[in-house]
Short mmCIF file of all heavy atoms in Angstrom, two decimals:
data_model
loop_
_atom_site.label_atom_id
_atom_site.label_comp_id
_atom_site.label_asym_id
_atom_site.label_seq_id
_atom_site.Cartn_x
_atom_site.Cartn_y
_atom_site.Cartn_z
N ALA A 1 18.76 54.56 84.46
CA ALA A 1 18.23 54.04 85.72
C ALA A 1 18.44 52.63 85.89
O ALA A 1 19.54 52.11 85.72
CB ALA A 1 16.84 54.60 85.97
N ASP A 2 17.33 51.84 86.03
CA ASP A 2 17.42 50.39 86.24
C ASP A 2 17.05 49.70 84.97
O ASP A 2 16.87 48.48 84.92
CB ASP A 2 16.70 49.92 87.42
CG ASP A 2 15.28 50.20 87.35
OD1 ASP A 2 14.81 51.02 86.46
OD2 ASP A 2 14.41 49.67 88.11
N ASP A 3 16.79 50.38 83.90
CA ASP A 3 16.50 49.75 82.57
C ASP A 3 17.81 49.58 81.83
O ASP A 3 18.48 50.64 81.52
CB ASP A 3 15.50 50.57 81.76
CG ASP A 3 14.08 50.48 82.33
OD1 ASP A 3 13.78 49.42 83.01
OD2 ASP A 3 13.25 51.36 82.12
N ILE A 4 18.14 48.42 81.37
CA ILE A 4 19.49 48.22 80.83
C ILE A 4 19.36 47.27 79.60
O ILE A 4 18.63 46.37 79.63
CB ILE A 4 20.42 47.56 81.89
CG1 ILE A 4 20.28 48.28 83.23
CG2 ILE A 4 21.92 47.67 81.41
CD1 ILE A 4 21.07 47.60 84.35
N VAL A 5 20.22 47.57 78.58
CA VAL A 5 20.37 46.63 77.47
C VAL A 5 21.81 46.35 77.37
O VAL A 5 22.67 47.26 77.36
CB VAL A 5 19.87 47.31 76.17
CG1 VAL A 5 20.21 46.38 74.94
CG2 VAL A 5 18.35 47.53 76.19
N PHE A 6 22.16 45.00 77.31
CA PHE A 6 23.58 44.55 77.12
C PHE A 6 23.68 43.98 75.73
O PHE A 6 22.75 43.22 75.31
CB PHE A 6 23.94 43.56 78.19
CG PHE A 6 23.84 44.08 79.60
CD1 PHE A 6 22.83 43.74 80.42
CD2 PHE A 6 24.92 44.73 80.09
CE1 PHE A 6 22.80 44.20 81.67
CE2 PHE A 6 24.93 45.22 81.41
CZ PHE A 6 23.84 44.95 82.22
N CYS A 7 24.69 44.38 75.01
CA CYS A 7 24.90 43.84 73.63
C CYS A 7 26.23 43.11 73.54
O CYS A 7 27.24 43.62 73.97
CB CYS A 7 24.91 45.03 72.68
SG CYS A 7 23.54 46.23 72.89
N PHE A 8 26.16 41.91 72.98
CA PHE A 8 27.31 41.01 72.81
C PHE A 8 27.37 40.56 71.39
O PHE A 8 26.39 40.22 70.75
CB PHE A 8 27.30 39.88 73.80
CG PHE A 8 27.40 40.27 75.22
CD1 PHE A 8 26.24 40.56 75.99
CD2 PHE A 8 28.63 40.42 75.89
CE1 PHE A 8 26.38 40.97 77.31
CE2 PHE A 8 28.75 40.75 77.15
CZ PHE A 8 27.66 41.05 77.89
N GLN A 9 28.59 40.43 70.90
CA GLN A 9 28.79 39.93 69.57
C GLN A 9 28.58 38.49 69.46
O GLN A 9 28.02 38.00 68.46
CB GLN A 9 30.18 40.27 69.07
CG GLN A 9 30.51 39.93 67.63
CD GLN A 9 31.86 40.42 67.15
OE1 GLN A 9 32.60 41.02 67.89
NE2 GLN A 9 32.25 40.03 65.94
N TYR A 10 28.88 37.74 70.51
CA TYR A 10 28.81 36.28 70.44
C TYR A 10 27.71 35.78 71.51
O TYR A 10 27.69 36.21 72.64
CB TYR A 10 30.17 35.64 70.78
CG TYR A 10 31.25 36.06 69.76
CD1 TYR A 10 32.38 36.61 70.26
CD2 TYR A 10 31.07 35.79 68.45
CE1 TYR A 10 33.44 36.98 69.36
CE2 TYR A 10 32.01 36.11 67.55
CZ TYR A 10 33.13 36.76 67.98
OH TYR A 10 34.19 37.11 67.08
N LYS A 11 26.92 34.84 71.05
CA LYS A 11 25.87 34.22 71.85
C LYS A 11 26.42 33.62 73.10
O LYS A 11 25.85 33.73 74.20
CB LYS A 11 25.12 33.21 71.00
CG LYS A 11 23.96 32.55 71.78
CD LYS A 11 23.24 31.54 70.86
CE LYS A 11 22.07 30.89 71.54
NZ LYS A 11 21.36 29.93 70.71
N ALA A 12 27.53 32.88 73.03
CA ALA A 12 28.10 32.18 74.14
C ALA A 12 28.51 33.23 75.28
O ALA A 12 28.33 32.96 76.43
CB ALA A 12 29.34 31.37 73.76
N GLU A 13 29.04 34.41 74.84
CA GLU A 13 29.43 35.34 75.82
C GLU A 13 28.20 36.07 76.46
O GLU A 13 28.26 36.44 77.65
CB GLU A 13 30.37 36.42 75.18
CG GLU A 13 31.71 35.87 74.76
CD GLU A 13 32.63 36.83 74.21
OE1 GLU A 13 32.23 37.90 73.84
OE2 GLU A 13 33.88 36.50 74.13
N ALA A 14 27.11 36.11 75.70
CA ALA A 14 25.86 36.67 76.28
C ALA A 14 25.40 35.75 77.41
O ALA A 14 24.95 36.20 78.45
CB ALA A 14 24.83 36.86 75.18
N LYS A 15 25.36 34.44 77.11
CA LYS A 15 24.90 33.52 78.10
C LYS A 15 25.77 33.42 79.38
O LYS A 15 25.33 33.31 80.43
CB LYS A 15 24.83 32.08 77.42
CG LYS A 15 23.66 31.93 76.42
CD LYS A 15 23.62 30.52 75.94
CE LYS A 15 22.30 30.36 75.05
NZ LYS A 15 22.16 28.92 74.60
N TRP A 16 27.06 33.47 79.05
CA TRP A 16 28.03 33.47 80.23
C TRP A 16 27.84 34.80 81.03
O TRP A 16 27.72 34.68 82.31
CB TRP A 16 29.50 33.51 79.65
CG TRP A 16 30.52 34.00 80.66
CD1 TRP A 16 30.94 33.30 81.73
CD2 TRP A 16 31.17 35.25 80.70
NE1 TRP A 16 31.87 34.01 82.46
CE2 TRP A 16 32.00 35.24 81.86
CE3 TRP A 16 31.06 36.38 79.91
CZ2 TRP A 16 32.73 36.36 82.13
CZ3 TRP A 16 31.82 37.50 80.26
CH2 TRP A 16 32.66 37.49 81.36
N PHE A 17 27.61 35.89 80.39
CA PHE A 17 27.40 37.12 81.18
C PHE A 17 26.13 37.11 81.95
O PHE A 17 26.05 37.61 83.09
CB PHE A 17 27.34 38.36 80.18
CG PHE A 17 26.91 39.63 80.88
CD1 PHE A 17 27.80 40.26 81.73
CD2 PHE A 17 25.67 40.13 80.70
CE1 PHE A 17 27.34 41.51 82.35
CE2 PHE A 17 25.22 41.31 81.26
CZ PHE A 17 26.06 41.95 82.12
N PHE A 18 25.06 36.46 81.42
CA PHE A 18 23.82 36.39 82.16
C PHE A 18 24.02 35.75 83.57
O PHE A 18 23.47 36.23 84.55
CB PHE A 18 22.74 35.66 81.34
CG PHE A 18 21.33 35.68 81.88
CD1 PHE A 18 20.55 36.81 81.80
CD2 PHE A 18 20.94 34.57 82.62
CE1 PHE A 18 19.32 36.85 82.34
CE2 PHE A 18 19.66 34.65 83.20
CZ PHE A 18 18.85 35.78 83.05
N GLU A 19 24.77 34.72 83.54
CA GLU A 19 25.00 33.95 84.81
C GLU A 19 25.93 34.85 85.75
O GLU A 19 25.58 34.93 86.96
CB GLU A 19 25.72 32.70 84.50
CG GLU A 19 24.92 31.65 83.71
CD GLU A 19 25.64 30.45 83.43
OE1 GLU A 19 26.84 30.30 83.77
OE2 GLU A 19 24.99 29.46 82.83
N GLU A 20 26.85 35.57 85.19
CA GLU A 20 27.74 36.39 85.97
C GLU A 20 26.94 37.58 86.51
O GLU A 20 27.17 38.02 87.68
CB GLU A 20 28.84 36.96 85.07
CG GLU A 20 29.87 35.94 84.66
CD GLU A 20 30.69 35.42 85.78
OE1 GLU A 20 31.21 36.28 86.60
OE2 GLU A 20 30.92 34.19 85.90
N LEU A 21 26.00 38.06 85.72
CA LEU A 21 25.17 39.21 86.20
C LEU A 21 24.29 38.85 87.39
O LEU A 21 24.22 39.62 88.35
CB LEU A 21 24.26 39.65 85.04
CG LEU A 21 23.37 40.86 85.32
CD1 LEU A 21 24.19 42.07 85.69
CD2 LEU A 21 22.44 41.18 84.13
N GLU A 22 23.65 37.71 87.41
CA GLU A 22 22.85 37.25 88.49
C GLU A 22 23.66 37.17 89.80
O GLU A 22 23.24 37.61 90.84
CB GLU A 22 22.20 35.88 88.17
CG GLU A 22 21.07 36.05 87.16
CD GLU A 22 20.36 34.70 87.02
OE1 GLU A 22 20.99 33.69 86.69
OE2 GLU A 22 19.14 34.70 87.22
N GLN A 23 24.88 36.65 89.69
CA GLN A 23 25.76 36.51 90.82
C GLN A 23 26.22 37.90 91.33
O GLN A 23 26.24 38.18 92.51
CB GLN A 23 26.93 35.65 90.47
CG GLN A 23 26.65 34.25 90.28
CD GLN A 23 27.88 33.39 89.84
OE1 GLN A 23 28.99 33.73 90.24
NE2 GLN A 23 27.67 32.34 89.08
N ARG A 24 26.57 38.77 90.35
CA ARG A 24 27.06 40.14 90.77
C ARG A 24 25.90 40.92 91.48
O ARG A 24 26.18 41.49 92.52
CB ARG A 24 27.43 40.88 89.47
CG ARG A 24 27.83 42.36 89.68
CD ARG A 24 29.06 42.48 90.47
NE ARG A 24 29.48 43.88 90.65
CZ ARG A 24 30.56 44.29 91.26
NH1 ARG A 24 31.34 43.37 91.85
NH2 ARG A 24 30.85 45.57 91.36
N LEU A 25 24.70 40.89 90.96
CA LEU A 25 23.63 41.61 91.51
C LEU A 25 23.21 41.07 92.92
O LEU A 25 22.87 41.80 93.86
CB LEU A 25 22.35 41.59 90.67
CG LEU A 25 22.50 42.36 89.32
CD1 LEU A 25 21.20 42.24 88.52
CD2 LEU A 25 22.87 43.86 89.54
N GLY A 26 23.37 39.75 93.08
CA GLY A 26 23.07 39.08 94.35
C GLY A 26 23.93 39.64 95.47
O GLY A 26 23.53 39.76 96.59
N LYS A 27 25.18 39.96 95.10
CA LYS A 27 26.14 40.50 96.12
C LYS A 27 25.64 41.83 96.70
O LYS A 27 26.17 42.28 97.73
CB LYS A 27 27.57 40.63 95.55
CG LYS A 27 28.21 39.29 95.21
CD LYS A 27 29.63 39.51 94.60
CE LYS A 27 30.24 38.23 94.26
NZ LYS A 27 31.57 38.36 93.64
N PHE A 28 24.80 42.53 95.91
CA PHE A 28 24.35 43.87 96.30
C PHE A 28 22.85 43.88 96.68
O PHE A 28 22.18 44.95 96.67
CB PHE A 28 24.57 44.89 95.18
CG PHE A 28 26.05 45.18 94.96
CD1 PHE A 28 26.74 44.29 94.11
CD2 PHE A 28 26.72 46.25 95.46
CE1 PHE A 28 28.24 44.59 93.90
CE2 PHE A 28 28.08 46.46 95.22
CZ PHE A 28 28.78 45.64 94.45
#
């Protein structure tokens, strides 16, 4: 449902994704 866990090997990619996620969700 709306409970989600994202897993990344690298910390930098996790931080990058977090910013991308906020922008992506904002579009919807």
Side-chain angles (χ1 to χ4, degrees):
D2 61 347
D3 287 333
I4 316 168
V5 173
F6 297 99
C7 311
F8 293 90
Q9 185 174 356
Y10 300 122
K11 182 178 180 180
E13 292 184 345
K15 289 185 173 182
W16 163 76
F17 170 73
F18 187 79
E19 295 177 359
E20 293 290 317
L21 178 62
E22 288 187 303
Q23 294 179 26
R24 175 68 176 180
L25 293 180
K27 293 178 180 179
F28 293 84

